[in-house]
Amino acid sequence: MEYLYYPGCTLVDTARNFDRCGRAAARALDVELVEMPDWTCCGTTFPLTNRKIVGLVAPVRTLVNARGEGYEELLTLCSFCYNVLKRANYAVRNRGDERMRINAYLEDEFVRAGQEYDEYEGEVEVVHLLEVLRDTVGFESVTAQVTRPLTNLKVAPYYGCLLLRPQSEIGLDDADEPTVLEDLLGALGCDVIDFPHRVECCGSYLGLSSPDIALQNSYEIVHTASRLGADVLAVVCPLCAYNLDLRQEEMHQRFSGFRQVPVMYFTELLALALEVEEEVYSWERHAVDPLPVLQTVGGI
Amino acid sequence: MAGIGIFVCDCDGELSERIDLEVLGSRLQEHPDVVDVIPHPHLCSEAGLALIEESLAGKGLGAVLVAACAYDLYDVAFRPIMEKAELGPGQTVNLDLRVSSSRDENVKARTKHSVDRALALLDRLELPSDKLELVPEEADHGVVRRALVIGGGIGGIQAALDIANSGHEVVLVERQPSIGGHMIQLSETFPSLDCSQCILTPKMAEVGRHPKVRLLTTSEVTGLEGRLGRFTAKIERKPRYVLDSCTACGDCVDACPVLVCDQFNTGLRWRKAIFQPFPQAVPSIFALDDEHCLGLFPLACGKCEQVCEPGSIDYDMQPVTEEIEVGAVVVATGYEMYSYGDVSEYGYGKYDDVINGLQFERLLSASGPTMGKVMRPSDGREPKEVVFIQCVRSRNPERGKPYCSGICCMYTAKHAMLYKHRVPDGQAFVFYMDIRAGGKGYEEFVQRAMENDGVMYLRGRVSKVFEENGRIVVWGADTLVGKRIEIAADLVVLATAIVPNDGYESVAQVTDLAADEHGFFTATHGKADPVGGSVPGIYLVGCCQGPTDIPETVAQASGAAAKVCALFAAEPKRAVPEPMLAEA
Amino acid sequence: MARIGLFVCRCGRNIAGTVDVAEVAGILAEHPGVVHAEEYTYMCSDPGQLKVAQTIADQHLTGVVVAACSPQLHERTFRIACEKGGLNPYMCEMANIREHCSWVHPEEPATTEKAIELTRVAVEKVKHSRPLTPIRIPVNRRVLVIGAGIAGIQVALDAARGGYDVVLVEREAYVGGHMAQLSATFPEMERSRFLLRPKLAQLLSHDNVWLLTNSEVVELTGFVGNFKATIKTRPSTDAEAGLDLADEVFPRGVERQRQESTVEVEVGAVVPAIGYDVYPLESIPEYGSGSIPNVLTSLQFEQLLRTSEGGELRRPSDGAVPREVVFIQCVRSRDREHGMPYCSRICCMYTAKQAMLYKQRVPDGQAYVFYIDIRAQGKDDEEFIRRAAEQYGVLYLRGRVSRIFPQDGKVVVWGADTLSGMNVEIPADAVVLALAMTPAHGALDVARLLGVGADDHGFLTEAHPKLRPVETSTAGIFLAGACQAPRDIGSCVAHASGAASKVLELFSARHLEREPEIAHIDEGICAGCFDCREVCPSRAIEVKEIRDRRGELLDTVATVNDGLCQGCGLCVATCRSGAADLEGYTDSQLFSQIEALSSRWTSTTSAEKPGGGHGG
Amino acid sequence: MRVKISKASLQSGFLVDVEEMSGEHVWSCYQCGNCSAGCPLAFAMELLPNQIIRLLHLGQEEEVFRANTIWLCTSCLTCKTRCPRGVDLSRINESIRHLALRRGKAPDRFGPDQIEPGVAASAPPQGLASAFRKFGG
């Protein structure tokens, strides 16, 4: 299996461990991720007003380029990229007016650059690695290929917002009662916690613009996971990881009785269970070091 | 061959305001049996009536559809002309254009709806080739004086009793092994707090032993042919596997080895595969649940048969289909609680201590699984804090049903009140959007819940419910103070939407009754004829046409009975009144 | 000499599992008067019933006792069996040894003892039973309907279609009641009079309907099946002729009385459908007591809507088009301090309808609605309200209005929006008040006249709020429409048909058969004090004059009207001379039962132990 | 303080602009409060999400601009997911943010200069980019 892969800005920067573990683990499962050449910004946020059509140009340009590479699917890992690309694709497919305007814009751009342009109608399918693991590889097959089951490791699965919502446009899983992450972690042998705050917002970019406020959101999530006895909090998005992991030191200072919990990308857990080679991990990127608990509980 | 003639009335311009009558006419003209569509501005005027009379004679029409404004004017104005032209009830039909269009917003939708109804009615007409066979039987103005009542809940029971007490035969068909419906599951009823069973069982017993009522339980209506005054109903009597000689001694239950989830107790208890749904069941004959019984493969079991003294168990019973002639039909198929998928954000189906209103009724009921003691299902503890959430999937076009479920405000107030009576040191919270307490004594009842029983009402919806440390945490809002509310409760009760009983589809198919997009049957006219179904001779009672509380259901049941009895009226109307009047 | 047969049922193991049935039969066989005692597995089965009938014939029994389950289940069964055997059915009694005994006690000798006691008591009662025959009351199959609003019209129509005579009495000169004054109905948005017209046309086409306008029922006597009503008719004026909806639909016009007259009508049933009124605007000082121009009642606004059809809506004070209209709900409803504690039920929906119709007439106008809770629980109602808010831009404000006052040609409204927590001021061009629905004026007089109950406010009361919503506690009188509680048109029509069904049921036979278990007064003993008359809730006690052959008055005594007596026994308890007795539960029957029990206690246990503890 | 409302205040250009920009029908809201009940940032908001819509109903533009609510909405879509009326409040909030920026009603702009160097190094680029976009319009 081969997929065109769109890493996005953060996965080649602060979330390199997310990216590398993802690629390596996919390869171990016989899924080849081919990085898209010359990829550009996804647009970061999906424009939520009718007047901001320009915000759709960046994601649609990415999709047009993916089509140019001859792939029918474009795979992402970052929730932001996934959300923006998928929603932009949905808009092109379902909203004629927007499709027309974006195509007109892109056509102009391509023609000026001396390239040919065919109207884009949403031909490319945006997929997330979790979808591929669930629907194409199959969790049973994942289990079969796990060589180091993460038995006894209590994991709180955390989805955040953008991977699931809006359900009508994304459709990866039920927005309130998702199971894909639980099922994957279960396939790896983890002891999965019924985590009530798995779809609450971590504070998102307010972690940067209003850090005091966002800290309360992140704290409630980490603290609950901690109280429920989680060894690890598994995440899907680099911004979640930033809010939930890098700010635990502040939580520790602000809230008494707080116990730290390591935060890991699901790809890291996947790579560990598949015993992928050492160099993909970069444990120094974690503010709360997961190694002690992985060693004592996970037997790694 | 004589074809169908259609007369379209404009009701002095009233109807063309609402419907494109030209489109209607041309669409109906396309029907292969239709020979003529005749419009008239005012059909019930003398000129209009004369036109019909002339056309019937001149064109030799074999059947007629009158599309006009009036739902029961037809009887007075048009039927005499039809009878004069020797067109019987099977050859004439009335379409009420106002009714067929009243639910739609624009002319186009109304026109389409009217065309659809008209085409459906055309298919019910019998053209002259059939006519010859029908005429000879038309003694006694051709009405079979026997009614079919579908559904044995409070609506069906009341309708059956009223018709039977007027001296007419009734066939009462119920799918379940006993009549009683949802009302027999309830604990106490608002606003009088009467015990539901205590007031219902006498009626059940009365209908069960009424000489004019034939009670067919574990049965379903699988076919209905014919028309007003003369229908032929096909009734499939499913095997009960227990003969009428059963004395309800219960020995079989002790012997039966199979445990089954007890639906009557909304899954809060187990029962055996041979069972009586509740002790006051009518008929008081046990029934065998063939989905779970082992004895249908005689080698596997047979224990109940061995212990049954009267020898009432017959594993070889087969379904029997009967054909019964009736003159009118009353549909009282009732409701269910919303259960499509899970109400995932509230953890319904995930947490044992998140239950629906009907389950809470069973918890409150003295004959319920806890003998009326309020305990939470997970661990049997007495809940000290209970949150009631109203409008769960009601008034919710996005994730449920757009309509209001009508009864939840009142039963929730009752639940909270009864809970406080059982657990005086407990606290009840109610999340609501509007308190809909519009019936007699209802407003006062809700006030009592707030003032005397200290039930805390919070105006707002709940966003999320989840379990934490053995408690059920509710995240809601109070829009009146503009604050978010978090309550750690022991038990959460959801007033989930009322939806049509799942049997509505087969009933709709069998009867041809029009239903709305939710599956509720539509009355011919909500105001003018609230109990008339869209097919003449079929009447609607209770929740099958929309959420309805018990008193309204009973009134509708009696109302439907009045329609049936008027149809069956034994004595033809006297030409000259004989008033016993004396000048004082 | 009594010859009593006893039949003890085993009810499978239901009774026999806890009670020694053989012992019950054995011991009672020795009891004086019992000539036959046997036990059987299922007395209610066909062979069981046959045994009863056969034994009556063979043994010439004078009474039967069946010791089995609750009489509610099978008393009728065994009484029929007795009749088949040639015994008067009221000579049969049941001893409930299942629900009262085997089901509620463990298997032990005391349980059998209790069963024996219960059976013995029943045997003693039968010894004092008398043969009774069901009472047959002739039924006059004509119904009197009071009020010709939509509910009354529907009752009359259904009864007339059932083939019976109807007398329809209307106090006003016009028929159609409030419905004839309305613009359109919710949620169908159809002209109200168009809905009313065909019903009226049909009603008036029936030859067996007699409509009396300008008329009132001034007296009602008699009882179920046999009422006599006195109806007084005012002369009608010329001004009234031709205005009535009835004249519109009935080509010949409605016959009108030219002079005052009084008639007496005999009817078998009465249906009051006297409708409602609204709370007087004059009694609402904070809203100007009716003195502020352009503050209208909702009924006045209906009139405006009706007359402005197809044109612009203009306010009555100066003919200007109101650009901003405030609708206020719950005016004196849900207000136990100043008005009515109850909800008037229909205001939420008609206010939404009025706001929408207003917007249709004045498209650039703005409508505001002050509400507390939006009560839209009927079919399609919720969707209707959403249409008002979303498509017609009606602004709903959750809160009450504290004050209305005129200022600079505007009507200023001071209210609150409890959702934003702000006080709101709206300078409006017109204000429409949804006044509380109250019982019709004179409702209490009608209640008294008919002898039916009414609540504190004057709404007539039903026999049971859940299961007998259209019946009253007086047999033969049924309720229809808003005289019972605030109610919308659809519900009025359904209830009216419900009431009609009760009438049809009553009229389905020429005679009404009633259980004979009613009071009886021995004229020889009666002292004529009439205390019984005071306590009788059914008005069943009548005065009877006893005269000699020459017509000289000898005595005045009380007598029981068979048609009215409900058998409650209050007169029996009140009667000081012991003249009153209750058939089926006579003093001699009851005392013999008590004696049977107490004799057992005095003989078998010490005297200080009262009889309640064990046997119940 | 009594707020004077009239046809003019209700049919304000502001409401029309918000509806046009967001594509959302503000009048669909019946004030059930579900959005507020579930909003993860509501604890820090000066007005609850449902109150924003209520003030739009009443045409109270200034009140809406004055509150921090719209600036705390992270478009997490919890409200939209559970809204019984299908209102997407994130679109309404974003439209109001744009209008506020355009009319100079926005608080201090959040830009790269407000980020501490240490944070800038560790923060994920996507977070920075999205924050700048939300606050910069």
Side-chain angles (χ1 to χ4, degrees), chain B residues 103 190 247 435-436 545, chain C residues 42 374-375 379-380 466:
Chain B
R103 290 176 46 81
F190 59 80
T247 61
I435 303 176
R436 298 189 163 167
Q545 56 167 324
Chain C
Y42 295 110
I374 302 177
R375 296 192 164 166
K379 187 159 178 160
D380 293 332
K466 281 283 174 194

Side-chain angles (χ1 to χ4, degrees), chain C residues 172-175 213-214 233-237 240-247 253-259:
Chain C
E172 303 298 326
Y174 317 109
V175 297
T213 50
N214 274 328
T233 304
R234 284 185 287 116
S236 74
T237 63
E240 288 160 6
L243 289 176
D244 193 356
L245 196 59
D247 295 314
V254 178
E255 198 185 317
R256 289 182 194 284
Q257 297 277 345
R258 285 300 174 165
Q259 53 201 351

Side-chain angles (χ1 to χ4, degrees), chain B residues 369-384:
Chain B
T370 61
M371 303 302 196
K373 202 172 160 353
V374 181
M375 316 175 172
R376 52 186 224 162
S378 65
D379 55 9
R381 276 201 303 120
E382 187 176 73
K384 295 296 181 193

Side-chain angles (χ1 to χ4, degrees), chain B residues 345-346 394-399 402 432-434 459-464 475-479 481-485, chain D residues 30-44 47-48 50-51 78 80-87:
Chain B
E345 74 272 30
Y346 294 166
S394 297
R395 303 180 67 185
N396 188 341
E398 282 299 304
R399 306 188 74 178
Y432 75 101
M433 296 203 292
D434 293 282
R459 191 195 178 283
R461 272 198 189 263
V462 166
S463 175
K464 177 171 162 172
W475 281 1
D478 183 340
T479 56
V481 293
K483 297 237 185 286
R484 294 192 310 159
I485 305 284
Chain D
Y30 59 17
Q31 288 290 302
C32 72
N34 200 333
C35 47
S36 302
C39 177
L41 271 310
F43 69 91
L47 286 172
L48 287 185
N50 76 288
Q51 291 176 315
T78 305
K80 178 186 158 65
T81 302
R82 300 188 188 138
C83 176
R85 307 288 313 166
V87 178

Side-chain angles (χ1 to χ4, degrees), chain B residues 99-435:
Chain B
V99 167
S100 68
S101 65
S102 68
R103 290 176 46 81
D104 301 303
E105 260 286 271
N106 58 53
V107 171
K108 204 172 160 192
R110 285 195 285 259
T111 307
K112 182 181 179 307
H113 200 140
S114 304
V115 169
D116 290 348
R117 284 303 305 153
L119 291 174
L121 287 173
L122 287 180
D123 289 340
R124 296 187 82 86
L125 284 173
E126 297 151 2
L127 279 170
S129 53
D130 314 317
K131 189 177 164 185
L132 290 173
E133 300 154 34
L134 279 164
V135 174
E137 286 182 46
E138 307 263 315
D140 230 4
H141 65 282
V143 170
V144 178
R145 293 207 181 84
R146 182 186 300 122
L148 170 67
V149 177
I150 310 177
I154 177 61
I157 290 174
Q158 186 65 48
L161 279 179
D162 280 9
I163 298 168
N165 284 339
S166 294
H168 305 295
E169 280 180 44
V170 177
V171 179
L172 175 58
V173 176
E174 165 60 51
R175 284 198 301 174
Q176 302 294 328
S178 169
I179 56 171
H182 280 308
M183 185 173 168
I184 199 71
Q185 292 178 288
L186 308 183
S187 55
E188 280 142 68
T189 59
F190 59 80
S192 50
L193 295 186
D194 279 306
C195 155
S196 186
Q197 296 194 339
C198 308
I199 58 176
L200 183 57
T201 46
K203 278 195 195 265
M204 290 166 59
E206 193 184 345
V207 89
R209 61 161 188 251
H210 201 293
K212 291 277 185 186
V213 178
R214 184 155 171 239
L215 181 58
L216 301 176
T217 45
T218 61
S219 301
E220 275 181 64
V221 178
T222 54
L224 189 74
E225 300 291 327
R227 49 162 176 80
L228 170 100
R230 188 175 289 272
F231 293 99
T232 306
K234 268 203 193 109
I235 295 163
E236 186 182 330
R237 306 187 57 191
K238 302 250 162 65
R240 189 184 188 102
Y241 306 101
V242 181
L243 303 169
D244 290 356
S245 60
C246 166
T247 61
C249 68
D251 289 347
C252 50
V253 170
D254 297 336
C256 178
V258 185
L259 278 177
V260 182
C261 179
D262 182 357
Q263 287 308 315
F264 179 77
N265 279 303
T266 59
L268 295 172
R269 188 158 74 177
W270 300 97
R271 64 158 167 81
K272 295 295 184 65
I274 189 159
F275 69 108
Q276 189 178 30
F278 49 97
Q280 309 92 325
V282 172
S284 66
I285 302 168
F286 279 52
L288 199 149
D289 172 351
D290 56 7
E291 260 181 64
H292 299 97
C293 173
L294 306 171
L296 297 179
F297 308 99
L299 289 179
C301 191
K303 291 204 166 74
C304 52
E305 192 189 18
Q306 287 157 18
V307 298
C308 181
E309 263 185 66
S312 303
I313 294 175
D314 174 8
Y315 297 123
D316 300 319
M317 213 181 261
Q318 295 298 321
V320 182
T321 298
E322 256 187 79
E323 285 198 359
I324 301 180
E325 288 227 305
V326 294
V329 182
V330 176
V331 175
T333 46
Y335 72 97
E336 295 289 343
M337 301 292 274
Y338 182 98
S339 63
Y340 306 126
D342 287 335
V343 184
S344 59
E345 74 272 30
Y346 294 166
Y348 182 63
K350 179 175 175 183
Y351 307 126
D352 287 344
D353 296 329
V354 178
I355 60 176
N356 71 23
L358 202 56
Q359 290 174 308
F360 197 63
E361 290 285 347
R362 294 311 298 155
L363 282 187
L364 289 171
S365 172
S367 65
T370 61
M371 303 302 196
K373 202 172 160 353
V374 181
M375 316 175 172
R376 52 186 224 162
S378 65
D379 55 9
R381 276 201 303 120
E382 187 176 73
K384 295 296 181 193
E385 275 161 293
V386 180
V387 173
F388 297 89
I389 307 177
Q390 294 190 180
C391 302
V392 177
R393 295 296 189 257
S394 297
R395 303 180 67 185
N396 188 341
E398 282 299 304
R399 306 188 74 178
K401 303 292 177 185
Y403 53 81
C404 162
S405 289
I407 62 171
C408 328
C409 283
M410 290 311 297
Y411 79 60
T412 298
K414 177 196 74 178
H415 282 171
M417 200 186 260
L418 291 177
Y419 163 69
K420 282 289 290 181
H421 295 176
R422 308 268 204 284
V423 186
D425 64 335
Q427 179 62 51
F429 302 88
V430 178
F431 282 96
Y432 75 101
M433 296 203 292
D434 293 282
I435 303 176

